[in-house]
Amino acid sequence: YQRRVRDSLLSHSFTLCLRELINIMVPSRTFIYVILSSFLFLLCVNSASLPPPSAIPSPTWPSSVPFWPMYPTRTIQVLDGEWSFGFSTTADPLSIDPKTTPTPSTIQVPSSFDVSPPGVLGMRGTAFYRTQVNVTEMSDFMIYFTACGFYCAVFVDDVYIGDHRAGGYQPFWMDVKGSHNVKREIFVVVDNRFNSTTAPTHTGGDFYFYSGITRHVLVHTKPHPSYLRQVETFTVDVEKGIIDVRVVFSGQSITSAYLSLAWDSSTPSTPTLYTIENNVVFLSRMSVPNASP
């Protein structure tokens, strides 16, 4: 799991090697590795490879994530490319039925569907996006939308998963349960009309709010019923090289985990058992060797 650490000013990296302890009495455990730095950190999760995906109309999806964070051992599909597309100026975005909603044309994702020439108001209404992705049978997965606005509702195989009303500047995750279907259809409703119900954060302004799936969409397989959602670093003392580390778990609840720490490319320390409270392990006042502000 690699990402840019925007709130850390330290120029050194460390490796956080984590072994999730689901049950101390069970010998098999899941290993998770994390590399953090002031610019990136790496989370490696052992997981099975998936077959190459297919979609409508794109036949395959790339697996190389084009931005931070990255997940070298987690199977990811980047749904950048051509999706089926439809648009309506009269549809109610809160009562859409994917089975009866046509998507007769295509659109590139990411992009804005309301782009228009200078001085011309872009179209306002409800857009519909549809594509398919291949996953392993009965495999839970997560859909990560890095930007979708104003209002965004997500369906998988015609089943409502959830919606997002915080606007296009806030990324969000959708958790999807596994199915016997290996080809899963993703249907997304996007509405760009101003109102207090579907766009409570968009109250106007002095610039145009472009809409649609405007950044990347990623499908993550869940490496384990319990997994790392994210790792955060917080600079405590720049001069002394002191940071706090917050490790966030998600999925099935667990109460403890083994963690070990390694700076740069050094050998990880002996794993230490930590208690997980509210899905979080907090490592306080970690000292970064040879840190420079």
Side-chain angles (χ1 to χ4, degrees):
Y1 181 104
Q2 299 177 341
R3 60 167 290 181
R4 295 186 180 277
V5 181
R6 293 185 292 267
D7 53 5
S8 175
L9 301 178
L10 303 177
S11 62
H12 290 261
S13 66
F14 63 84
T15 303
L16 174 66
C17 300
L18 179 150
R19 176 182 301 173
E20 294 180 3
L21 182 63
I22 308 303
N23 188 328
I24 294 179
M25 302 306 295
V26 178
S28 60
R29 301 185 179 95
T30 300
F31 289 88
I32 302 178
Y33 303 95
V34 184
I35 298 175
L36 294 96
S37 74
S38 59
F39 301 106
L40 60 89
F41 60 80
L42 168 67
L43 166 63
C44 304
V45 182
N46 292 339
S47 58
S49 297
L50 295 182
S54 62
I56 297 175
S58 178
T60 59
W61 296 118
S63 59
S64 177
V65 180
F67 58 91
W68 309 104
M70 296 183 180
Y71 309 78
T73 62
R74 181 183 295 184
T75 302
I76 297 176
Q77 299 177 63
V78 183
L79 308 190
D80 290 359
E82 198 171 69
W83 291 44
S84 298
F85 181 78
F87 184 80
S88 171
T89 58
T90 59
D92 179 0
L94 300 179
S95 60
I96 300 299
D97 183 357
K99 295 188 292 294
T100 59
T101 303
T103 49
S105 58
T106 60
I107 193 171
Q108 289 293 316
V109 171
S111 69
S112 297
F113 66 77
D114 54 352
V115 173
S116 61
V120 178
L121 184 65
M123 58 186 185
R124 296 283 179 183
T126 306
F128 314 108
Y129 294 75
R130 192 190 312 268
T131 194
Q132 292 180 341
V133 63
N134 282 358
V135 296
T136 332
E137 185 177 4
M138 298 308 297
S139 172
D140 294 348
F141 61 93
M142 303 171 289
I143 309 174
Y144 181 51
F145 290 86
T146 54
C148 182
F150 304 164
Y151 173 76
C152 183
V154 181
F155 298 76
V156 175
D157 297 338
D158 300 327
V159 177
Y160 174 77
I161 303 300
D163 67 2
H164 175 75
R165 306 190 186 201
Y169 301 110
Q170 178 64 45
F172 61 96
W173 297 84
M174 291 290 177
D175 292 296
V176 184
K177 291 292 185 181
S179 165
H180 290 293
N181 298 328
V182 296
K183 187 183 293 293
R184 311 297 300 272
E185 181 180 278
I186 300 173
F187 181 84
V188 182
V189 177
V190 181
D191 191 271
N192 71 340
R193 288 171 287 191
F194 292 104
N195 63 75
S196 60
T197 301
T198 58
T201 64
H202 288 280
T203 58
D206 59 355
F207 63 95
Y208 188 86
F209 292 91
Y210 285 100
S211 307
I213 303 177
T214 53
R215 291 186 180 177
H216 311 278
V217 180
L218 279 63
V219 169
H220 292 236
T221 57
K222 292 185 178 179
H224 192 276
S226 298
Y227 54 93
L228 288 182
R229 173 71 77 176
Q230 63 191 47
V231 177
E232 303 167 342
T233 62
F234 305 92
T235 301
V236 176
D237 190 320
V238 173
E239 298 298 329
K240 296 181 179 179
I242 304 297
I243 65 172
D244 290 338
V245 181
R246 185 172 180 264
V247 182
V248 182
F249 289 85
S250 192
Q252 179 179 304
S253 179
I254 56 177
T255 59
S256 57
Y258 280 105
L259 292 87
S260 60
L261 197 64
W263 302 99
D264 296 321
S265 57
S266 62
T267 303
S269 61
T270 302
T272 302
L273 182 63
Y274 288 86
T275 299
I276 300 173
E277 297 182 358
N278 298 321
N279 295 322
V280 172
V281 173
F282 193 78
L283 306 178
S284 180
R285 300 191 66 82
M286 298 287 101
S287 179
V288 180
N290 304 314
S292 59

